[in-house]
Amino acid sequence: MDSTAFRIFVLCFLLMNGFGYGQSEGMAFIEGSRYIPLYGRDSTVVEVKDFEIDVYPVTNAAFIDFVREHPQWQKTKVKKLFAEGNYLYNWKGDFELREDVDLRSPVTYVSWFAAKAYCECQGKRLPTIDEWEYVAMADKKMRDARINESYNQQILSWYEAPKTYKNSIGQTEKNYWGVYDLHGLVWEWTLDFNSVLISGESRKDVDKDSNLFCGSAAIGATDLMNYAAFMRYAFRGSVKARYAIRNLGFRCAKDINNIE
Amino acid sequence: MKLDIKLAVANYFKGIGVLGLICILFFSCADDGKKELASAVDIPVFQEMEAELTSPPNVPRPVGERKAKKLIVDMEILEKEGEMTNGVSYVYWTFGGTVPGSFIRTRVGDEVEFHLKNHPDNKLPHNIDLHAVTGPGGGAESSFVAPGHEKVFSFKVLNPGLYVYHCATAPVGMHIANGMYGLILVEPEGGLPLVDKEYYIMQGDFYTEGKNGERGLQPFDMQKAVDENADYVVFNGKVGALTGDNAITANVGETVRLFVGNGGPNLVSSFHVIGEIFDKVHIEGGDRINENVQTTLIPAGGAAIVEFKVDVPGTFILVDHSIFRAFNKGALGMLKVQGEEDKTIYSGELRDDIYLPEGGGIQSMPTTDELVKADQTAKTPEEQMKFGKQTYMQTCFACHQAEGQGVAGAFPPLSKSDYLNADVDRTIGIVLNGLTGEITVNGEKYNSIMTRQNLTDEEVANVLTYVYNSWGNSKKVVTPQMVEKVRNNPNL
């Protein structure tokens, strides 16, 4: 094949791909953009590329299917290195839930390794912190609702609602992107959950890494959003990849250019 | 070794005269100071022991003569709903299930092995900063713990005193505002002098979306916290934690020691016991003792040890003498003292005389009999009207006026009031709980605030019967039972 023909072929392929893009099942298309996160590596504008994200968190039912096909992630077979002792603690056995646990509830008590493996086996991956925060800053109507008082209030009130991990998926309001349950159900793993390091000493972090707080102005924090988001960062900072926690589930994401 | 050196120095200077003596004194003082610090580290620990933890207002048994030990402290963090005051609930974050958290009692030289457990049902990570710890973050650095996990760290207790502990996880202010604080006592070698009664009291300020007294589950209000505009200032986590049946007690002649902390997050406490003078105060929980103190200042994140002997019986009121907090925001506790009266110290009321500034014959009046009668139950409709009118004139008159005509644009009328006559339960509820927001009365809109009234069921029944049977209203009779029904049913 001569090189011109090859070029045309590639061009056609790219055009087709761009033109004929179809949304993956159960996922929402997220149009990327630049945004300012609460804080990150340098706390300036971050660019998020187009990507897709699961509309719902992964359920117990879906995770049962997964461990049937991938026995190394079953409750009794998982390596201790990849999941601590209470992995799938609310399951009775490898394929059965305890009586008070619902199939349509989000799977929790999963380690980061298990969540990552689950997504990879679906041809997906975990969302990054930036992607997750980017999608989660939307409310019903706005892409960035962080200035909206009711948005913040809703998140904060979830922190005060007990045992929400028992709820089924999809009961919270759908956001701008058509994604459910980012707030109000469970915390969610992200691919790079430990990239923003919060040591045990939150106040020292504030001191030392003042550049993380937009010139530390945010630390005056009259803004509720900072507190709501800050707690997510604090939570992520307190966990390790092998932890399995009652309030912590996950969902998957996917790059657009990886779509087959 | 050190002693030998001191002896040698002393021998060397022996006979050199006054100058030499001063030098020796200087030397030995400096040496002593150093030795004390060094020795706290060097105190050996014998055996292991589980620390006794108590919920407020109780404290664990005194340390006394016990040797320094490896002390295991087992503390669980619980996020749970509790009652701030009647009808108002709040989600507290707690150390050991209570606000303030469990009291920890140690002695100098103890090696504390701290187990911090974050209950799996909790939403958030937490940690603990103990002001008694010498080390980064007061332990916060090594105790940052995710839900469903347990962190262990240990520290040597070096300085005697009463210290605050609190959660220091981001957002720090919110964790403290939700109740994550408590006290750890470090007793000196040989223990504190024994007293008859010891109690644990800790002040804290709370910030809720609704105003003081507004019913239902009240979420935390960050903006009010930042503005330091507290809705509740309380002892031991809630209004009434130390009043009525929950009051602390003592007997005449006993010595009482209060371990008083202030969790903040924002407000400084002017701690005072009405009718008592503190014989001794360990200022800021440290070594320095002040005597004969009326009010002691306790900084947010600080503490004081207060001691006094109770000489006469009665109820002594504990307050933050920033006094609106006490009577309007909840910072009120009670110490009930039982025993023999001592008329030489306090006589009680001797007489109630008539006072005539212009002079003339002083006439005595018998005390209080009439007042007692007014407190009695109304036996007839006439009496109900009479008592009701008394209450009306004391409580309602200023706003609603003598003929119930109200004040146009400000306070709604009670005479011929459609709003009043439409729903008697609602009316009772308003007297009990207050009312805020817009209402329409006889076609006019009113938007003001009526505060909740501190009246007994009896008084409410009387005053409403009076109102309903005056000024062209529906002539309804309100009974104490009807009031009680509304009081017990917040949904009405």
Side-chain angles (χ1 to χ4, degrees):
Chain A
M1 198 187 286
D2 74 54
S3 68
T4 319
F6 179 72
R7 274 201 202 116
I8 289 166
F9 171 77
V10 169
L11 195 64
C12 286
F13 179 79
L14 285 175
L15 271 174
M16 268 170 58
N17 203 25
F19 196 64
Y21 164 71
Q23 202 163 300
S24 313
E25 201 191 333
M27 297 188 90
F29 171 74
I30 311 294
E31 188 191 341
S33 167
R34 291 148 67 85
Y35 89 112
I36 299 176
L38 174 67
Y39 67 157
R41 279 167 300 279
D42 47 14
S43 183
T44 48
V45 172
V46 166
E47 184 166 0
V48 175
K49 295 209 171 80
D50 292 359
F51 69 106
E52 288 186 315
I53 195 161
D54 287 351
V55 169
Y56 303 109
V58 174
T59 59
N60 282 312
F63 208 77
I64 288 175
D65 292 344
F66 167 70
V67 298
R68 266 189 218 287
E69 285 174 36
H70 305 277
Q72 71 270 33
W73 294 107
Q74 284 166 11
K75 185 180 160 103
T76 54
K77 300 204 177 81
V78 72
K79 288 209 169 60
K80 288 279 168 280
L81 189 63
F82 296 137
E84 63 178 339
N86 55 350
Y87 176 72
L88 299 178
Y89 179 76
N90 54 347
W91 289 25
K92 218 189 259 169
D94 283 340
F95 311 109
E96 205 185 339
L97 307 177
R98 289 201 186 164
E99 284 80 8
D100 58 339
V101 183
D102 197 298
L103 281 170
R104 293 209 24 98
S105 293
V107 63
T108 62
Y109 282 120
V110 282
S111 69
W112 176 84
F113 293 107
K116 183 170 173 281
Y118 175 96
C119 291
E120 282 166 2
C121 292
Q122 319 279 321
K124 301 176 186 175
R125 58 174 173 78
L126 285 169
T128 64
I129 293 182
D130 283 329
E131 286 169 345
W132 195 97
E133 291 285 331
Y134 179 79
V135 184
M137 73 188 182
D139 70 356
K140 197 168 92 178
K141 293 195 182 112
M142 296 159 73
R143 283 185 182 201
D144 187 353
R146 293 181 296 180
I147 47 155
N148 196 335
E149 206 172 296
S150 66
Y151 162 84
N152 299 313
Q153 209 48 60
Q154 232 173 339
I155 300 176
L156 284 173
S157 69
W158 170 55
Y159 297 152
E160 298 180 351
K163 299 190 199 281
T164 47
Y165 55 82
K166 287 192 164 180
N167 298 347
S168 304
I169 57 159
Q171 289 181 345
T172 64
E173 202 169 54
K174 177 161 76 166
N175 82 0
Y176 172 88
W177 303 105
V179 178
Y180 291 85
D181 299 329
L182 290 161
H183 308 290
L185 191 61
V186 287
W187 304 105
E188 294 182 9
W189 282 111
T190 52
L191 192 61
D192 52 347
F193 70 94
N194 53 3
S195 70
V196 176
L197 280 180
I198 292 195
S199 74
E201 228 315 34
S202 309
R203 299 156 300 182
K204 197 179 76 188
D205 300 328
V206 167
D207 246 16
K208 198 174 72 179
D209 303 332
S210 48
N211 58 328
L212 294 180
F213 297 90
C214 317
S216 37
I219 230 40
T222 49
D223 184 349
L224 285 169
M225 185 281 292
N226 288 347
Y227 277 83
F230 208 97
M231 289 200 271
R232 289 196 296 276
Y233 284 87
F235 183 90
R236 289 177 192 132
S238 77
V239 298
K240 292 182 179 153
R242 56 191 291 274
Y243 280 14
I245 293 176
R246 179 172 284 173
N247 276 307
L248 178 59
F250 71 101
R251 73 179 74 214
C252 307
K254 203 172 183 183
D255 292 337
I256 295 296
N257 48 13
N258 281 358
I259 292 167
E260 283 143 31
Chain B
M1 190 67 187
K2 261 184 192 147
L3 246 160
D4 288 346
I5 292 167
K6 238 202 293 191
L7 261 176
V9 172
N11 283 331
Y12 179 79
F13 281 107
K14 204 176 253 177
I16 297 186
V18 181
L19 188 69
L21 263 173
I22 290 171
C23 280
I24 294 167
L25 283 172
F26 180 76
F27 255 92
S28 54
C29 284
D31 193 34
D32 275 348
K34 238 182 177 176
K35 215 174 87 188
E36 223 176 81
L37 259 183
S39 65
V41 180
D42 294 339
I43 295 173
V45 296
F46 300 93
Q47 302 162 325
E48 249 180 52
M49 180 178 144
E50 288 272 331
E52 180 193 358
L53 300 182
T54 59
S55 51
N58 301 311
V59 296
R61 278 181 296 267
V63 162
E65 292 288 340
R66 93 158 157 77
K67 291 213 160 59
K69 296 203 170 173
K70 181 172 169 188
L71 195 65
I72 318 281
V73 173
D74 221 351
M75 197 176 267
E76 186 186 40
I77 295 165
L78 281 171
E79 299 165 7
K80 64 175 204 185
E81 195 177 316
E83 194 176 56
M84 180 72 74
T85 183
N86 279 342
V88 180
S89 46
Y90 190 80
V91 176
Y92 293 92
W93 299 348
T94 73
F95 286 112
T98 56
V99 179
S102 312
F103 195 95
I104 310 167
R105 194 161 192 161
T106 69
R107 55 149 285 172
V108 164
D110 277 348
E111 186 186 309
V112 178
E113 183 181 291
F114 208 103
H115 294 244
L116 190 64
K117 300 166 172 178
N118 195 350
H119 195 278
D121 278 354
N122 293 346
K123 283 241 161 55
L124 295 159
H126 300 282
N127 63 11
I128 193 165
D129 167 350
L130 299 119
H131 292 177
V133 168
T134 307
E141 196 179 62
S142 14
S143 60
F144 191 38
V145 57
H149 277 255
E150 174 183 343
K151 282 280 172 77
V152 183
F153 67 103
S154 88
F155 58 92
K156 183 90 171 170
V157 185
L158 301 183
N159 306 66
L162 182 61
Y163 299 94
V164 166
Y165 65 78
H166 63 91
C167 180
T169 303
V172 182
M174 181 174 182
H175 285 253
I176 295 175
N178 282 348
M180 297 193 82
Y181 45 75
L183 290 179
I184 173 168
L185 172 68
V186 183
E187 294 202 43
E189 190 94 51
L192 289 168
L194 292 180
V195 292
D196 299 304
K197 292 274 159 64
E198 291 185 321
Y199 293 106
Y200 171 21
I201 294 162
M202 201 159 184
Q203 185 170 322
D205 27 302
F206 289 86
Y207 304 84
T208 55
E209 242 167 59
K211 292 192 186 73
N212 181 301
E214 208 164 304
R215 287 172 167 266
L217 177 64
Q218 288 295 329
F220 167 71
D221 190 313
M222 180 63 72
Q223 192 57 54
K224 283 184 183 171
V226 172
D227 296 343
E228 307 193 8
N229 175 20
D231 296 285
Y232 298 90
V233 181
V234 295
F235 295 128
N236 290 1
K238 57 182 264 188
V239 178
L242 288 174
T243 58
D245 291 344
N246 303 321
I248 54 174
T249 58
N251 298 312
V252 165
E254 286 184 328
T255 320
V256 178
R257 177 183 287 144
L258 305 179
F259 296 104
V260 192
N262 184 3
N266 291 321
L267 304 179
V268 164
S269 173
S270 307
F271 185 72
H272 177 80
V273 177
I274 299 173
E276 263 299 341
I277 295 152
F278 304 145
D279 301 330
K280 276 203 228 169
V281 173
H282 287 254
I283 302 167
E284 292 172 4
D287 286 346
R288 175 158 295 173
I289 291 175
N290 199 358
E291 295 182 351
N292 304 322
V293 176
Q294 56 188 316
T295 299
T296 192
L297 193 66
I298 306 176
I305 304 172
V306 165
E307 291 172 23
F308 51 90
K309 187 175 162 211
V310 286
D311 298 295
V312 293
T315 299
F316 296 82
I317 310 290
L318 286 52
V319 295
D320 179 343
H321 214 301
S322 301
I323 208 73
F324 274 100
R325 297 177 192 166
F327 294 104
N328 299 72
K329 296 185 172 182
L332 204 84
M334 286 176 185
L335 166 65
K336 288 190 178 164
V337 179
Q338 286 190 317
E340 289 284 308
E341 299 213 29
D342 185 341
K343 297 282 188 187
T344 57
I345 295 177
Y346 184 69
S347 72
E349 182 177 316
L350 294 177
R351 289 197 310 272
D352 179 1
D353 298 334
I354 285 176
Y355 165 61
L356 297 168
E358 62 273 20
I362 306 276
Q363 292 178 299
S364 274
M365 239 176 92
T367 49
T368 62
D369 277 4
E370 288 204 340
L371 281 174
V372 171
K373 208 187 270 172
D375 282 339
Q376 284 171 357
T377 314
K379 291 195 189 70
T380 59
E382 288 77 15
E383 274 194 338
Q384 220 188 352
M385 285 294 282
K386 187 180 139 205
F387 295 164
K389 185 170 184 182
Q390 285 168 357
T391 305
Y392 184 85
M393 295 312 283
Q394 282 163 13
T395 313
C396 324
F397 164 77
C399 294
H400 295 291
Q401 303 292 299
E403 299 300 316
Q405 69 268 40
V407 174
F411 306 113
L414 301 178
S415 65
K416 299 193 191 93
S417 163
D418 57 356
Y419 187 84
L420 176 88
N421 291 315
D423 186 348
V424 68
D425 281 347
R426 178 175 68 185
T427 306
I428 294 169
I430 291 169
V431 176
L432 293 176
N433 307 318
L435 177 69
T436 327
E438 190 175 277
I439 57 168
T440 307
V441 182
N442 298 344
E444 297 286 321
K445 282 195 163 56
Y446 292 86
N447 194 352
S448 57
I449 296 168
M450 170 159 161
T451 54
R452 62 173 170 160
Q453 302 300 315
N454 224 341
L455 300 172
T456 63
D457 291 356
E458 194 81 39
E459 287 169 325
V460 174
N462 291 343
V463 76
L464 286 180
T465 302
Y466 171 72
V467 168
Y468 274 114
N469 288 279
S470 308
W471 319 310
N473 284 324
S474 66
K475 303 209 181 300
K476 210 164 196 66
V477 171
V478 179
T479 64
Q481 290 72 32
M482 290 162 73
V483 181
E484 193 190 11
K485 194 186 81 193
V486 176
R487 200 188 282 277
N488 293 336
N489 189 351
N491 297 326
L492 277 176

